[in-house]
Amino acid sequence: MSILRDARTAVRLVRRLLRSRSSRRALARRLPTQERLAPGSIEVAVYFADGPVNMYQVRQWYEPLAELSRTHRVAIVSRNPGTMLTLLDEAPVAAVYARQVVDLERFVDEQAPKLVLYVNQNARNFQMMRYGRMWHVFVNHGESDKMYMTTNQFKAYDYALIAGEAARDRLSEALWDYDVEHRAIAIGRPQADHFAGKPPYPADDRTVVLYAPTWEGDREAAAYGSIASHGTTIADRVLASPRHRLVYRPHPRSGVVDPAYRAAHERIVAAIAAANTADPSAHHVHDDGPALGWQLADADVAITDISAMIYDRLAVGKPLIVTRPVAPGADVDERGYLTAANWLLAEDADQVVARVDAAAHDASQLADLRRWVERYFGDTTPGTATARFHDAVERLIARWHEVARDRGTA
């Protein structure tokens, strides 16, 4: 068994190496054709050291960054050739390739950004954080009650842009000697002002069920994924109902660690295809596209795992069901919204259609959701979060100028 596992690992490594070489060659051809940034033109940099598999973390910031760039020039700094190729194809702001530390140094010397935004906790963030004459600001890639949201790594950044009071309370409770009032700035969820796209199915009388599970995780404490435990049953029951439509949007890393998890995912994808063949009017959807918006806004009921998708859906204020992790060591923080979550146990997954129907018509649950929305995101009136994001950036840039003058470096 170990020999087979080692062989699979070797194959993955070879494939990864070949992809990397191919990306580097393609990038070498494209970079000379790109317009060079004028020195000192970038005020806000977004540092992203990850590969293409984690592009979802920066993609959700595309529209807020595009709007911010109208007043402050923005660039995304990539350390990975595959990611850089993708950014060149789709990013709405400038992209800078800094594969080596010397490239990063050149970017800092030429551009001297005032703010650097970080969407994740990649260990290579520290290669950027060595530079002191700028504010390093953690913006994350979603709001949730996962343990990731209270890591002590928050202290490494000068500031953090958080969603609302729930995040502030989590940090206050979890982190010792961390000045939350000064270093954490609540902005809501600016991405919600940019929910985009139209549903790829007709408006009819079917109840639309969004099933958006997370990946299996790389350790038991973070094993929140439900595809193998709940997902195949959820899909089978919803697909079998002529009154419902399934929109399946799995986390892009689903199955990268556990082959059984990937097999369950592939079974759901195949079941959707078979159901659409049997009834073309059903318009069930396997959604693996980069954009997130219509899925959250249009679904009558959403089923998610413990992930940022819960809180993206909360901002919509529509019915939500949360799967209960089956891993006994999964870290479930039930001090926030999860105290009131509409939990779906694995053993109850075969009742999912009845649960969906109940959630879709439960007025008291909707009223309760509105209370949680306010706690997690504040005012969700369209445009408000974007205004708060811009205000936070203006405050930090003004603070940069103030410190620079005091130090005689303005």
Side-chain angles (χ1 to χ4, degrees):
M1 192 68 178
S2 62
I3 295 176
L4 179 60
R5 184 167 55 249
D6 290 344
R8 288 173 176 167
T9 300
V11 169
R12 285 198 299 269
L13 291 174
V14 169
R15 287 176 177 170
R16 188 180 307 166
L17 177 62
L18 292 175
R19 283 196 300 268
S20 179
R21 286 179 176 175
S22 176
S23 295
R24 288 200 300 270
R25 286 194 296 267
L27 191 57
R29 292 191 295 268
R30 290 193 62 177
L31 284 178
T33 69
Q34 302 302 307
E35 181 180 355
R36 184 175 175 82
L37 295 174
S41 62
I42 299 300
E43 287 189 283
V44 180
V46 181
Y47 182 83
F48 187 68
D50 278 76
V53 71
N54 285 328
M55 279 294 297
Y56 72 95
Q57 296 174 340
V58 71
R59 278 187 178 119
Q60 64 178 261
W61 280 100
Y62 277 177
E63 293 305 319
L65 292 173
E67 189 154 333
L68 179 65
S69 69
R70 297 176 184 175
T71 52
H72 299 285
R73 188 81 186 276
V74 179
I76 301 173
V77 178
S78 171
R79 308 295 305 280
N80 179 281
T83 297
M84 184 62 184
L85 283 170
T86 304
L87 290 171
L88 290 175
D89 288 337
E90 66 182 38
V93 297
V96 174
Y97 186 48
R99 182 166 178 262
Q100 299 180 3
V101 172
V102 66
D103 303 317
L104 202 56
E105 290 175 346
R106 185 180 304 112
F107 171 76
V108 170
D109 289 342
E110 291 181 357
Q111 297 300 332
K114 298 176 178 64
L115 269 64
V116 181
L117 310 182
Y118 300 82
V119 301
N120 61 24
Q121 299 282 18
N122 190 300
R124 295 181 77 186
N125 287 3
F126 282 90
Q127 292 182 340
M128 184 70 190
M129 295 175 72
R130 63 187 290 199
Y131 304 106
R133 295 186 178 182
M134 58 193 70
W135 300 132
H136 298 275
V137 184
F138 186 56
V139 298
N140 214 337
H141 56 274
E143 162 70 345
S144 77
D145 285 310
K146 293 165 73 171
M147 59 182 180
Y148 179 86
M149 302 300 294
T150 54
T151 170
N152 205 54
Q153 290 163 304
F154 270 80
K155 294 179 180 178
Y157 303 91
D158 298 302
Y159 298 94
L161 302 188
I162 61 174
E165 289 306 309
R168 192 183 302 279
D169 289 348
R170 279 196 306 267
L171 293 172
S172 296
E173 182 173 349
L175 303 184
W176 290 6
D177 200 25
Y178 179 73
D179 189 350
V180 176
E181 293 304 315
H182 173 68
R183 297 175 64 181
I185 303 172
I187 63 170
R189 184 71 171 153
Q191 292 89 336
D193 288 335
H194 302 279
F195 278 165
K198 293 183 179 180
Y201 46 76
D204 54 25
D205 59 356
R206 282 181 180 257
T207 298
V208 178
V209 181
L210 170 65
Y211 175 44
T214 191
W215 68 304
E216 64 269 37
D218 56 4
R219 58 198 180 282
E220 187 171 2
Y224 303 118
S226 68
I227 291 177
S229 57
H230 301 62
T232 54
T233 301
I234 289 172
D236 288 345
R237 297 297 184 272
V238 175
L239 292 173
S241 170
R243 299 183 295 105
H244 296 78
R245 172 172 294 120
L246 178 65
V247 176
Y248 174 55
R249 183 180 172 86
H251 190 290
R253 288 183 60 82
S254 296
V256 299
V257 173
D258 183 0
Y261 201 84
R262 172 159 290 277
H265 156 69
E266 291 171 349
R267 177 182 162 188
I268 293 173
V269 173
I272 290 172
N276 282 333
T277 298
D279 180 6
S281 69
H283 296 285
H284 301 295
V285 179
H286 168 219
D287 174 40
D288 59 357
L292 178 63
W294 62 265
Q295 303 91 332
L296 291 165
D298 188 73
D300 296 295
V301 177
I303 303 173
T304 77
D305 299 339
I306 297 175
S307 74
M309 290 293 288
I310 290 178
Y311 306 90
D312 288 342
R313 175 66 175 187
L314 268 181
V316 178
K318 296 173 71 174
L320 173 65
I321 296 172
V322 182
T323 65
R324 188 83 187 190
V326 296
D331 188 355
V332 180
D333 185 349
E334 296 189 53
R335 290 170 293 180
Y337 167 71
L338 296 183
T339 61
N342 184 0
W343 290 108
L344 179 66
L345 304 180
E347 55 265 34
D348 297 332
D350 60 347
Q351 302 299 316
V352 67
V353 170
R355 293 286 299 274
V356 163
D357 290 345
H361 302 95
D362 189 337
S364 64
Q365 187 178 57
L366 289 174
D368 196 38
L369 274 174
R370 285 192 288 271
R371 179 172 66 86
W372 286 105
V373 167
E374 173 66 25
R375 171 160 170 72
Y376 276 84
F377 300 102
D379 185 355
T380 57
T381 303
T384 301
T386 293
R388 296 176 75 185
F389 174 45
H390 289 198
D391 179 66
V393 169
E394 296 296 341
R395 286 169 55 190
L396 293 177
I397 289 179
R399 177 61 180 159
W400 183 93
H401 283 291
E402 178 184 336
V403 173
R405 283 195 301 269
D406 290 346
R407 297 178 69 89
T409 59

Tab-separated table of all heavy atoms in Angstrom, residues 315-362:
chain	number	residue	atom	x	y	z
A	315	ALA	N	-25.003	37.270	4.393
A	315	ALA	CA	-25.160	38.642	3.907
A	315	ALA	C	-26.333	38.780	2.954
A	315	ALA	O	-26.830	39.892	2.744
A	315	ALA	CB	-23.881	39.105	3.224
A	316	VAL	N	-26.789	37.670	2.383
A	316	VAL	CA	-27.946	37.690	1.490
A	316	VAL	C	-29.245	37.670	2.292
A	316	VAL	O	-30.287	38.149	1.837
A	316	VAL	CB	-27.892	36.485	0.520
A	316	VAL	CG1	-29.104	36.443	-0.389
A	316	VAL	CG2	-26.619	36.539	-0.307
A	317	GLY	N	-29.198	37.101	3.495
A	317	GLY	CA	-30.377	37.078	4.356
A	317	GLY	C	-31.418	36.062	3.948
A	317	GLY	O	-32.611	36.238	4.228
A	318	LYS	N	-31.011	34.977	3.274
A	318	LYS	CA	-31.956	33.949	2.840
A	318	LYS	C	-31.627	32.622	3.523
A	318	LYS	O	-30.538	32.455	4.072
A	318	LYS	CB	-31.900	33.821	1.310
A	318	LYS	CG	-32.358	35.094	0.591
A	318	LYS	CD	-32.149	35.015	-0.917
A	318	LYS	CE	-33.116	34.058	-1.576
A	318	LYS	NZ	-32.989	34.095	-3.062
A	319	PRO	N	-32.568	31.673	3.516
A	319	PRO	CA	-32.430	30.441	4.311
A	319	PRO	C	-31.125	29.697	4.093
A	319	PRO	O	-30.602	29.607	2.975
A	319	PRO	CB	-33.628	29.602	3.852
A	319	PRO	CG	-34.650	30.616	3.466
A	319	PRO	CD	-33.877	31.734	2.842
A	320	LEU	N	-30.643	29.126	5.188
A	320	LEU	CA	-29.329	28.503	5.220
A	320	LEU	C	-29.355	27.272	6.117
A	320	LEU	O	-29.890	27.318	7.229
A	320	LEU	CB	-28.316	29.527	5.758
A	320	LEU	CG	-26.897	29.069	6.045
A	320	LEU	CD1	-26.206	28.640	4.759
A	320	LEU	CD2	-26.114	30.206	6.710
A	321	ILE	N	-28.783	26.180	5.617
A	321	ILE	CA	-28.606	24.944	6.380
A	321	ILE	C	-27.113	24.648	6.431
A	321	ILE	O	-26.413	24.809	5.428
A	321	ILE	CB	-29.365	23.774	5.718
A	321	ILE	CG1	-30.875	24.043	5.736
A	321	ILE	CG2	-29.051	22.453	6.417
A	321	ILE	CD1	-31.682	23.028	4.924
A	322	VAL	N	-26.623	24.218	7.581
A	322	VAL	CA	-25.190	23.966	7.762
A	322	VAL	C	-24.978	22.490	8.096
A	322	VAL	O	-25.627	21.953	8.996
A	322	VAL	CB	-24.606	24.848	8.880
A	322	VAL	CG1	-23.102	24.608	9.016
A	322	VAL	CG2	-24.888	26.327	8.614
A	323	THR	N	-24.054	21.846	7.389
A	323	THR	CA	-23.758	20.447	7.681
A	323	THR	C	-22.902	20.330	8.940
A	323	THR	O	-21.997	21.129	9.158
A	323	THR	CB	-23.008	19.787	6.513
A	323	THR	OG1	-21.727	20.392	6.368
A	323	THR	CG2	-23.793	19.903	5.220
A	324	ARG	N	-23.209	19.346	9.732
A	324	ARG	CA	-22.439	19.098	10.954
A	324	ARG	C	-21.267	18.178	10.614
A	324	ARG	O	-21.472	17.079	10.075
A	324	ARG	CB	-23.309	18.425	12.008
A	324	ARG	CG	-22.640	18.297	13.367
A	324	ARG	CD	-22.777	19.563	14.152
A	324	ARG	NE	-22.014	19.520	15.386
A	324	ARG	CZ	-22.137	20.439	16.344
A	324	ARG	NH1	-22.994	21.433	16.207
A	324	ARG	NH2	-21.406	20.368	17.434
A	325	PRO	N	-20.016	18.562	10.902
A	325	PRO	CA	-18.873	17.700	10.579
A	325	PRO	C	-18.971	16.360	11.294
A	325	PRO	O	-19.409	16.278	12.441
A	325	PRO	CB	-17.667	18.499	11.081
A	325	PRO	CG	-18.137	19.912	11.166
A	325	PRO	CD	-19.590	19.840	11.510
A	326	VAL	N	-18.526	15.316	10.602
A	326	VAL	CA	-18.550	13.982	11.214
A	326	VAL	C	-17.232	13.670	11.910
A	326	VAL	O	-17.198	12.773	12.766
A	326	VAL	CB	-18.854	12.898	10.163
A	326	VAL	CG1	-20.239	13.074	9.594
A	326	VAL	CG2	-17.809	12.892	9.055
A	327	ALA	N	-16.161	14.365	11.588
A	327	ALA	CA	-14.876	14.124	12.237
A	327	ALA	C	-14.977	14.512	13.712
A	327	ALA	O	-15.289	15.666	14.024
A	327	ALA	CB	-13.772	14.925	11.553
A	328	PRO	N	-14.716	13.591	14.626
A	328	PRO	CA	-14.867	13.912	16.050
A	328	PRO	C	-13.943	15.024	16.523
A	328	PRO	O	-14.260	15.717	17.487
A	328	PRO	CB	-14.559	12.585	16.751
A	328	PRO	CG	-13.809	11.775	15.749
A	328	PRO	CD	-14.303	12.192	14.409
A	329	GLY	N	-12.814	15.209	15.844
A	329	GLY	CA	-11.880	16.244	16.250
A	329	GLY	C	-12.050	17.566	15.539
A	329	GLY	O	-11.250	18.486	15.742
A	330	ALA	N	-13.073	17.691	14.709
A	330	ALA	CA	-13.290	18.953	13.996
A	330	ALA	C	-13.570	20.075	14.991
A	330	ALA	O	-14.393	19.931	15.901
A	330	ALA	CB	-14.443	18.821	13.008
A	331	ASP	N	-12.883	21.178	14.812
A	331	ASP	CA	-13.005	22.310	15.724
A	331	ASP	C	-14.210	23.152	15.329
A	331	ASP	O	-14.181	23.892	14.353
A	331	ASP	CB	-11.722	23.149	15.653
A	331	ASP	CG	-11.685	24.240	16.705
A	331	ASP	OD1	-12.690	24.401	17.433
A	331	ASP	OD2	-10.663	24.942	16.801
A	332	VAL	N	-15.302	23.014	16.096
A	332	VAL	CA	-16.545	23.731	15.811
A	332	VAL	C	-16.764	24.778	16.896
A	332	VAL	O	-17.038	24.437	18.047
A	332	VAL	CB	-17.751	22.769	15.743
A	332	VAL	CG1	-19.021	23.546	15.439
A	332	VAL	CG2	-17.506	21.688	14.703
A	333	ASP	N	-16.612	26.034	16.544
A	333	ASP	CA	-16.791	27.124	17.492
A	333	ASP	C	-18.253	27.554	17.467
A	333	ASP	O	-18.700	28.227	16.543
A	333	ASP	CB	-15.883	28.297	17.111
A	333	ASP	CG	-15.933	29.426	18.136
A	333	ASP	OD1	-16.825	29.386	19.011
A	333	ASP	OD2	-15.095	30.342	18.052
A	334	GLU	N	-18.997	27.169	18.496
A	334	GLU	CA	-20.431	27.448	18.524
A	334	GLU	C	-20.772	28.658	19.385
A	334	GLU	O	-21.899	28.784	19.884
A	334	GLU	CB	-21.189	26.208	19.003
A	334	GLU	CG	-21.047	25.034	18.054
A	334	GLU	CD	-21.965	23.881	18.413
A	334	GLU	OE1	-23.167	24.116	18.560
A	334	GLU	OE2	-21.472	22.747	18.536
A	335	ARG	N	-19.820	29.573	19.500
A	335	ARG	CA	-20.111	30.772	20.284
A	335	ARG	C	-20.740	31.870	19.434
A	335	ARG	O	-21.301	32.814	19.963
A	335	ARG	CB	-18.824	31.279	20.927
A	335	ARG	CG	-18.296	30.391	22.037
A	335	ARG	CD	-16.910	30.791	22.472
A	335	ARG	NE	-15.933	30.542	21.405
A	335	ARG	CZ	-14.635	30.795	21.511
A	335	ARG	NH1	-14.165	31.302	22.631
A	335	ARG	NH2	-13.805	30.529	20.523
A	336	GLY	N	-20.649	31.763	18.116
A	336	GLY	CA	-21.199	32.781	17.235
A	336	GLY	C	-22.456	32.300	16.556
A	336	GLY	O	-23.340	31.697	17.179
A	337	TYR	N	-22.556	32.553	15.255
A	337	TYR	CA	-23.747	32.168	14.501
A	337	TYR	C	-24.047	30.683	14.638
A	337	TYR	O	-25.217	30.269	14.631
A	337	TYR	CB	-23.580	32.530	13.024
A	337	TYR	CG	-24.619	31.875	12.154
A	337	TYR	CD1	-25.946	32.295	12.200
A	337	TYR	CD2	-24.295	30.794	11.335
A	337	TYR	CE1	-26.922	31.663	11.445
A	337	TYR	CE2	-25.259	30.160	10.574
A	337	TYR	CZ	-26.576	30.604	10.624
A	337	TYR	OH	-27.526	29.970	9.886
A	338	LEU	N	-23.008	29.865	14.778
A	338	LEU	CA	-23.226	28.427	14.813
A	338	LEU	C	-24.015	27.972	16.038
A	338	LEU	O	-24.485	26.836	16.091
A	338	LEU	CB	-21.888	27.684	14.733
A	338	LEU	CG	-21.120	27.889	13.416
A	338	LEU	CD1	-19.840	27.065	13.409
A	338	LEU	CD2	-21.976	27.548	12.209
A	339	THR	N	-24.186	28.850	17.023
A	339	THR	CA	-25.076	28.510	18.139
A	339	THR	C	-26.514	28.387	17.654
A	339	THR	O	-27.315	27.680	18.263
A	339	THR	CB	-25.031	29.586	19.244
A	339	THR	OG1	-25.461	30.847	18.698
A	339	THR	CG2	-23.637	29.742	19.797
A	340	ALA	N	-26.855	29.108	16.579
A	340	ALA	CA	-28.231	29.132	16.084
A	340	ALA	C	-28.368	28.482	14.719
A	340	ALA	O	-29.414	28.588	14.080
A	340	ALA	CB	-28.714	30.585	16.010
A	341	ALA	N	-27.314	27.821	14.251
A	341	ALA	CA	-27.336	27.261	12.902
A	341	ALA	C	-28.401	26.170	12.760
A	341	ALA	O	-28.733	25.460	13.707
A	341	ALA	CB	-25.964	26.683	12.554
A	342	ASN	N	-28.914	26.062	11.567
A	342	ASN	CA	-29.846	24.998	11.203
A	342	ASN	C	-29.008	23.802	10.764
A	342	ASN	O	-28.706	23.618	9.596
A	342	ASN	CB	-30.758	25.486	10.069
A	342	ASN	CG	-31.822	24.470	9.702
A	342	ASN	OD1	-31.901	23.388	10.272
A	342	ASN	ND2	-32.644	24.814	8.731
A	343	TRP	N	-28.600	22.982	11.734
A	343	TRP	CA	-27.645	21.910	11.480
A	343	TRP	C	-28.281	20.746	10.722
A	343	TRP	O	-29.420	20.361	10.988
A	343	TRP	CB	-27.073	21.371	12.785
A	343	TRP	CG	-26.154	22.291	13.521
A	343	TRP	CD1	-26.413	22.969	14.682
A	343	TRP	CD2	-24.805	22.624	13.154
A	343	TRP	NE1	-25.323	23.695	15.060
A	343	TRP	CE2	-24.319	23.516	14.148
A	343	TRP	CE3	-23.977	22.267	12.109
A	343	TRP	CZ2	-23.039	24.043	14.120
A	343	TRP	CZ3	-22.695	22.791	12.061
A	343	TRP	CH2	-22.234	23.663	13.057
A	344	LEU	N	-27.503	20.170	9.807
A	344	LEU	CA	-27.895	18.944	9.126
A	344	LEU	C	-26.871	17.867	9.469
A	344	LEU	O	-25.699	17.961	9.084
A	344	LEU	CB	-27.956	19.152	7.611
A	344	LEU	CG	-28.334	17.904	6.788
A	344	LEU	CD1	-29.769	17.483	7.091
A	344	LEU	CD2	-28.148	18.158	5.293
A	345	LEU	N	-27.302	16.849	10.195
A	345	LEU	CA	-26.430	15.740	10.547
A	345	LEU	C	-26.319	14.768	9.370
A	345	LEU	O	-27.232	14.670	8.539
A	345	LEU	CB	-26.974	14.997	11.766
A	345	LEU	CG	-27.223	15.832	13.033
A	345	LEU	CD1	-27.772	14.943	14.142
A	345	LEU	CD2	-25.959	16.536	13.476
A	346	ALA	N	-25.207	14.056	9.326
A	346	ALA	CA	-25.004	13.109	8.233
A	346	ALA	C	-26.114	12.065	8.194
A	346	ALA	O	-26.598	11.695	7.118
A	346	ALA	CB	-23.640	12.441	8.369
A	347	GLU	N	-26.554	11.612	9.384
A	347	GLU	CA	-27.584	10.584	9.427
A	347	GLU	C	-28.962	11.103	9.027
A	347	GLU	O	-29.889	10.322	8.772
A	347	GLU	CB	-27.655	9.938	10.814
A	347	GLU	CG	-27.861	10.923	11.946
A	347	GLU	CD	-26.551	11.345	12.595
A	347	GLU	OE1	-25.538	11.444	11.864
A	347	GLU	OE2	-26.556	11.585	13.820
A	348	ASP	N	-29.106	12.436	8.942
A	348	ASP	CA	-30.379	13.029	8.528
A	348	ASP	C	-30.353	13.534	7.088
A	348	ASP	O	-31.324	14.149	6.628
A	348	ASP	CB	-30.733	14.204	9.450
A	348	ASP	CG	-30.946	13.770	10.888
A	348	ASP	OD1	-31.351	12.601	11.092
A	348	ASP	OD2	-30.691	14.577	11.807
A	349	ALA	N	-29.247	13.280	6.393
A	349	ALA	CA	-29.115	13.824	5.036
A	349	ALA	C	-30.195	13.302	4.097
A	349	ALA	O	-30.566	13.982	3.131
A	349	ALA	CB	-27.727	13.514	4.480
A	350	ASP	N	-30.728	12.104	4.367
A	350	ASP	CA	-31.759	11.567	3.477
A	350	ASP	C	-33.082	12.323	3.615
A	350	ASP	O	-33.983	12.164	2.798
A	350	ASP	CB	-31.958	10.076	3.720
A	350	ASP	CG	-32.402	9.748	5.141
A	350	ASP	OD1	-32.315	10.643	6.020
A	350	ASP	OD2	-32.821	8.606	5.384
A	351	GLN	N	-33.186	13.191	4.628
A	351	GLN	CA	-34.385	14.023	4.820
A	351	GLN	C	-34.183	15.441	4.283
A	351	GLN	O	-34.934	16.347	4.620
A	351	GLN	CB	-34.727	14.090	6.317
A	351	GLN	CG	-34.958	12.749	6.972
A	351	GLN	CD	-36.125	12.009	6.353
A	351	GLN	OE1	-37.171	12.601	6.094
A	351	GLN	NE2	-35.938	10.712	6.106
A	352	VAL	N	-33.168	15.615	3.451
A	352	VAL	CA	-32.777	16.960	3.046
A	352	VAL	C	-33.879	17.703	2.306
A	352	VAL	O	-34.028	18.928	2.467
A	352	VAL	CB	-31.476	16.923	2.212
A	352	VAL	CG1	-31.700	16.225	0.880
A	352	VAL	CG2	-30.938	18.326	1.990
A	353	VAL	N	-34.671	17.029	1.497
A	353	VAL	CA	-35.728	17.728	0.749
A	353	VAL	C	-36.748	18.332	1.709
A	353	VAL	O	-37.160	19.499	1.560
A	353	VAL	CB	-36.397	16.780	-0.261
A	353	VAL	CG1	-37.645	17.427	-0.868
A	353	VAL	CG2	-35.419	16.407	-1.368
A	354	ALA	N	-37.158	17.576	2.715
A	354	ALA	CA	-38.094	18.107	3.707
A	354	ALA	C	-37.466	19.251	4.491
A	354	ALA	O	-38.139	20.252	4.786
A	354	ALA	CB	-38.538	16.991	4.654
A	355	ARG	N	-36.195	19.133	4.804
A	355	ARG	CA	-35.509	20.197	5.537
A	355	ARG	C	-35.426	21.480	4.694
A	355	ARG	O	-35.582	22.588	5.204
A	355	ARG	CB	-34.105	19.727	5.930
A	355	ARG	CG	-34.089	18.595	6.958
A	355	ARG	CD	-34.463	19.112	8.345
A	355	ARG	NE	-33.527	20.113	8.784
A	355	ARG	CZ	-32.367	19.836	9.404
A	355	ARG	NH1	-32.032	18.563	9.639
A	355	ARG	NH2	-31.566	20.801	9.792
A	356	VAL	N	-35.139	21.300	3.415
A	356	VAL	CA	-35.075	22.450	2.508
A	356	VAL	C	-36.431	23.144	2.440
A	356	VAL	O	-36.538	24.380	2.530
A	356	VAL	CB	-34.612	22.011	1.107
A	356	VAL	CG1	-34.941	23.069	0.052
A	356	VAL	CG2	-33.121	21.713	1.116
A	357	ASP	N	-37.485	22.373	2.272
A	357	ASP	CA	-38.823	22.956	2.167
A	357	ASP	C	-39.208	23.702	3.440
A	357	ASP	O	-39.823	24.780	3.389
A	357	ASP	CB	-39.855	21.861	1.879
A	357	ASP	CG	-39.724	21.300	0.473
A	357	ASP	OD1	-39.047	21.945	-0.363
A	357	ASP	OD2	-40.281	20.215	0.211
A	358	ALA	N	-38.848	23.140	4.585
A	358	ALA	CA	-39.156	23.817	5.853
A	358	ALA	C	-38.383	25.120	5.974
A	358	ALA	O	-38.940	26.161	6.361
A	358	ALA	CB	-38.829	22.895	7.022
A	359	ALA	N	-37.104	25.099	5.620
A	359	ALA	CA	-36.285	26.303	5.734
A	359	ALA	C	-36.753	27.405	4.805
A	359	ALA	O	-36.684	28.593	5.138
A	359	ALA	CB	-34.825	25.953	5.445
A	360	ALA	N	-37.253	27.028	3.652
A	360	ALA	CA	-37.663	28.020	2.654
A	360	ALA	C	-38.905	28.806	3.076
A	360	ALA	O	-39.164	29.886	2.521
A	360	ALA	CB	-37.921	27.338	1.313
A	361	HIS	N	-39.656	28.281	4.040
A	361	HIS	CA	-40.910	28.937	4.418
A	361	HIS	C	-40.978	29.267	5.906
A	361	HIS	O	-42.055	29.532	6.432
A	361	HIS	CB	-42.092	28.048	4.025
A	361	HIS	CG	-42.140	27.725	2.566
A	361	HIS	ND1	-41.608	26.570	2.040
A	361	HIS	CD2	-42.620	28.433	1.507
A	361	HIS	CE1	-41.774	26.566	0.724
A	361	HIS	NE2	-42.377	27.686	0.376
A	362	ASP	N	-39.846	29.277	6.572
A	362	ASP	CA	-39.807	29.508	8.018
A	362	ASP	C	-39.552	30.987	8.293
A	362	ASP	O	-38.414	31.463	8.264
A	362	ASP	CB	-38.707	28.647	8.635
A	362	ASP	CG	-38.747	28.665	10.162
A	362	ASP	OD1	-39.295	29.633	10.730
A	362	ASP	OD2	-38.218	27.726	10.768
